[in-house]
Amino acid sequence: MGLADVTRAGVLAAVEEYQYVGGETFRRSYGFGRAKTYELVWDGQRYDSKAIAGVAHLYSVGSLLSAGDFSGGARTVAHRLRVLGFTVEDGAADGDGPQQAAPQLVLQPRGTARDRGPRNFVKSVRRGIEIAGIEHVLGEQADVLAALYPDGIARLWGATPTTQANNEKVRALRNRRVGDDVLFYAENHFIARARILHLFDSSPVAQDVWGTDEENATWKHIMALEDVEEFPTRVLAAPILRSLNVPAPLRSLTLRSAEDYRRVVDLLPKRRQSLPPALAATPPATSSARLTATDLLQRVGSLSVHRHPKHQAPSRHQPLALLWAISRIAAGKPRLAPWACFSTEVGPLLAGFGLLSSKLTPEYLFWHLQGSGLWEVHGIPSDAGPMPQAGVFDTVQPVAGLTYQTAELLQNPLVRLETVVKLCGTYLGDVDQSALLSQVGLDGYATADGLLHGVEDGHNEQTTDEERVLGPTARRKSTSSRLVRDAALANQVKELHDHACQVCETRLKYKGRPYGEAAHIRGLGSPHDGPDELPNLLCLCPNHHVLFDGLEIYIDADGVVRQTQGGESLGLLRRRAGHRIDETYLRYHRTLCELNKLAGE
């Protein structure tokens, strides 16, 4: 494999991640240095071409090309990127390229009836302007708007010039940028929101769209906007303006920083999850609000799934695809995968575990999972429409998968487990979950210790009939990778409890010596990846160790040991001074028992 395997979709995915995390973090994460000669130029920004190509290979075919695997010269990286339709320029740019830029907040008065504000809002924002109707005055902006609005309808809003030198409006016009959020203000309320897709100045366009005001001025400073999101219930502006230190009523175009925006974002309606077609192929700039584990579980629990018209059973396709994506995170695979990989691996899941009445359409799933707010797609042409034709996927080989924030959250084993439980409990109750988790590679959840080691040489460990007949047990060489435990820690927890079981207080003796076992609460094996430390250990007798690892017993939030099936109490977990148990690990084990219970029902 090499640079020839890099796809356009993989490059777009790498560029989006570079934008999100910033150049320094991106390079450090993947082991690249700054571009010495050639830089990729995309949407007016510059990127380290070699780093982009290496990560693009990861998302194109599943393996990273490290910095030492290839050169970044004109006949290698630059040539491949140009073949894929990108611009590559000679000469490293100053600075660090685009950094993570959260949206700023643009406060935009809609205007009154006197200056035709309501009428203009309906005309050019709500309904939109036909690009073909203003093409004669657009000039070079025609191609830009056509790319932004494949349906031919542009959402535009403008601002009149000001003669003052440095007032609020001047600063807002000078410093607003693509990716900022615009809040429309009218009658002491905020009424709508939209994101800026493009900025340009044109008096001819403004005059053709809106005419002139009473002073014969026109709205020449133009914003091209994402589809407007009008609030079902208008939002009282006073608390927001007060927090932003903006006088009420709002009389002028005003800009506030991303930090200010974060302070008031919770006072606004949550942003719609679905993306318009024009933005689906190129995800928008980083949202001002970080995705939290609570947000993740809420989105997973409220997927927009189809229901069977007769028995109203929810479709399993989205949950199955998300389980597949989670298994990739657990296995350390890239969060994004090419279409060929998705269709090959997810297709059998849909056939084996989906509803019999559901059509097998992986391409529909690949595309529409974006509506969950947890999924992104790269490489589909902007003119492909709201649902691209099946042939488009095979032709352009797009890549898709979990968003950066989602994948980042799922690196946490507890969040990952809780998400699996949410998916299985909400949508997959009628499925053989043990078989499903095994097929997607999450069979380590079947026990508390997980998959402890893997045989690497591929030999079968079973003894054949021939070997048994011939006499003594046969031996064969094998190579395996095993977890290394700290024996001193195991001895410490047993000594702290005088080798007595923390569940039943049994103290065994073996060959005249006390005997107890050290049990990890969050297992060391995959996919649990628990730490080998004292707060993650219990001292148990062999019986309760087996039951604990087999998910037959758990410790509830009050410290009571209970049976997983039925919930019968076995008494309080006995504790000793000097042995602090981390409640997070107990919560992980409880959640694992919940999943095991779902799988057994």
Side-chain angles (χ1 to χ4, degrees):
M1 291 187 177
L3 288 172
D5 299 303
V6 172
T7 64
R8 181 176 176 84
V11 173
L12 293 173
V15 165
E16 192 273 338
E17 186 171 314
Y18 189 113
Q19 289 175 330
Y20 179 81
V21 303
E24 182 179 349
T25 300
F26 184 88
R27 291 190 300 270
R28 185 174 64 248
S29 298
Y30 295 106
F32 287 89
R34 287 178 180 271
K36 295 181 179 179
T37 307
Y38 293 99
E39 292 182 319
L40 169 67
V41 181
W42 177 256
D43 198 22
Q45 303 287 356
R46 309 178 77 90
Y47 303 86
D48 301 278
S49 60
K50 189 173 181 180
I52 290 293
V55 178
H57 192 273
L58 174 70
Y59 292 145
S60 299
V61 295
S63 62
L64 176 72
L65 283 181
S66 65
D69 290 336
F70 64 109
S71 68
R75 296 184 179 181
T76 54
V77 168
H79 173 72
R80 182 58 184 165
L81 293 176
R82 286 167 178 155
V83 166
L84 294 172
F86 295 98
T87 299
V88 181
E89 293 184 356
D90 190 350
D94 294 332
D96 196 29
Q99 299 294 316
Q100 178 178 347
Q104 301 176 107
L105 185 61
V106 179
L107 304 177
Q108 174 66 68
R110 183 197 59 185
T112 63
R114 179 181 176 186
D115 53 17
R116 306 195 301 277
R119 186 177 72 181
N120 287 340
F121 182 85
V122 171
K123 176 184 178 182
S124 65
V125 176
R126 182 182 296 165
R127 295 177 183 167
I129 302 297
E130 290 190 13
I131 296 173
I134 59 171
E135 198 166 9
H136 62 287
V137 290
L138 279 174
E140 63 183 8
Q141 299 299 329
D143 290 340
V144 178
L145 294 186
L148 287 173
Y149 303 102
D151 61 356
I153 305 297
R155 273 75 183 175
L156 306 177
W157 191 258
T160 56
T162 177
T163 57
Q164 297 188 39
N166 197 31
N167 62 3
E168 283 278 4
K169 184 174 184 178
V170 169
R171 291 192 292 272
L173 290 171
R174 182 174 61 239
N175 297 318
R176 64 184 177 173
R177 62 197 181 205
V178 171
D180 289 344
D181 279 347
V182 181
L183 279 182
F184 285 92
Y185 172 94
E187 302 167 346
N188 300 315
H189 288 79
F190 288 113
I191 62 171
R193 168 175 52 201
R195 182 154 290 178
I196 300 176
L197 302 180
H198 180 54
L199 294 165
F200 65 102
D201 292 346
S202 175
S203 294
V205 171
Q207 185 156 347
D208 199 75
V209 174
W210 301 293
T212 58
D213 63 12
E214 292 181 339
E215 298 177 359
N216 204 34
T218 193
W219 293 265
K220 65 173 286 186
H221 303 296
I222 300 173
M223 299 183 289
L225 302 170
E226 174 189 336
D227 285 355
V228 66
E229 180 184 351
E230 296 188 61
F231 301 143
T233 302
R234 293 186 169 200
V235 179
L236 187 64
I240 296 174
L241 294 176
R242 187 163 52 248
S243 296
L244 296 172
N245 196 28
V246 175
L250 180 67
R251 299 189 182 279
S252 172
L253 182 70
T254 302
L255 180 69
R256 286 295 181 263
S257 70
E259 291 72 23
D260 289 334
Y261 191 7
R262 292 189 188 98
R263 293 207 314 269
V264 301
V265 71
D266 289 336
L267 301 177
L268 296 166
K270 287 191 176 296
R271 181 176 291 279
R272 288 189 308 228
Q273 298 302 326
S274 57
L275 296 175
L279 297 182
T282 306
T286 305
S287 171
S288 60
R290 293 284 299 177
L291 185 71
T292 67
T294 301
D295 296 332
L296 172 59
L297 291 174
Q298 189 275 328
R299 293 184 188 185
V300 164
S302 56
L303 296 174
S304 179
V305 296
H306 295 296
R307 291 185 176 271
H308 192 279
K310 291 184 178 179
H311 48 71
Q312 290 297 300
S315 170
R316 300 169 185 162
H317 286 187
Q318 288 193 43
L320 290 170
L322 289 176
L323 273 181
W324 169 83
I326 291 169
S327 74
R328 290 177 62 84
I329 301 300
K333 295 179 180 179
R335 63 185 177 90
L336 303 177
W339 160 245
C341 174
F342 180 91
S343 59
T344 299
E345 296 183 8
V346 176
L349 283 179
L350 305 184
F353 298 96
L355 294 174
L356 294 177
S357 57
S358 297
K359 294 181 179 179
L360 297 181
T361 53
E363 62 276 4
Y364 185 90
L365 186 60
F366 185 93
W367 179 251
H368 282 288
L369 261 172
Q370 293 173 97
S372 68
L374 307 172
W375 190 265
E376 61 187 52
V377 179
H378 301 271
I380 296 290
S382 59
D383 60 356
M387 179 59 228
Q389 296 296 313
V392 172
F393 294 85
D394 294 327
T395 300
V396 304
Q397 282 298 317
V399 300
L402 298 170
T403 66
Y404 188 92
Q405 285 194 49
T406 303
E408 200 173 29
L409 284 171
L410 290 169
Q411 295 290 344
N412 181 305
L414 177 57
V415 174
R416 189 165 65 231
L417 174 59
E418 289 179 332
T419 305
V420 170
V421 170
K422 191 73 168 179
L423 285 167
C424 289
T426 306
Y427 309 100
L428 302 169
D430 297 331
V431 169
D432 183 343
Q433 292 184 9
S434 296
L436 170 61
L437 294 177
S438 178
Q439 184 161 330
V440 298
L442 294 174
D443 43 337
Y445 284 136
T447 63
D449 49 2
L451 301 178
L452 294 176
H453 61 84
V455 177
E456 296 176 348
D457 63 1
H459 287 304
N460 192 318
E461 292 298 316
Q462 294 181 351
T463 303
T464 66
D465 290 338
E466 180 181 1
E467 290 170 333
R468 283 195 293 270
V469 169
L470 291 177
T473 302
R475 296 178 182 271
R476 79 165 51 93
K477 292 182 179 180
S478 68
T479 303
S480 63
S481 173
R482 297 177 182 272
L483 294 165
V484 178
R485 296 177 173 84
D486 188 336
L489 277 176
N491 289 331
Q492 183 181 358
V493 74
K494 288 184 280 188
E495 289 170 1
L496 282 169
H497 293 275
D498 196 20
H499 297 266
C501 177
Q502 289 182 254
V503 174
C504 65
E505 300 192 31
T506 298
R507 184 182 289 104
L508 297 173
K509 281 194 174 183
Y510 178 70
K511 294 186 177 181
R513 295 183 179 181
Y515 179 82
E517 296 183 351
H520 287 89
I521 303 169
R522 197 181 98 200
L524 304 187
S526 176
H528 312 313
D529 302 325
D532 195 17
E533 61 181 22
L534 190 60
N536 190 34
L537 285 172
L538 297 175
C539 179
L540 300 177
C541 67
N543 285 350
H544 284 115
H545 192 174
V546 168
L547 293 174
F548 190 83
D549 281 357
L551 307 176
E552 297 295 338
I553 60 173
Y554 67 93
I555 298 144
D556 71 13
D558 297 319
V560 177
V561 183
R562 296 189 180 277
Q563 293 181 354
T564 301
Q565 303 296 330
E568 181 180 342
S569 170
L570 302 182
L572 282 170
L573 183 77
R574 185 174 51 78
R575 301 180 185 248
R576 286 281 175 88
H579 180 205
R580 181 185 68 84
I581 300 172
D582 193 320
E583 295 299 320
T584 304
Y585 300 143
L586 294 176
R587 177 182 163 193
Y588 183 93
H589 185 270
R590 283 197 299 273
T591 309
L592 200 58
C593 288
E594 183 181 347
L595 178 60
N596 186 58
K597 185 177 178 181
L598 287 171
E601 290 178 349

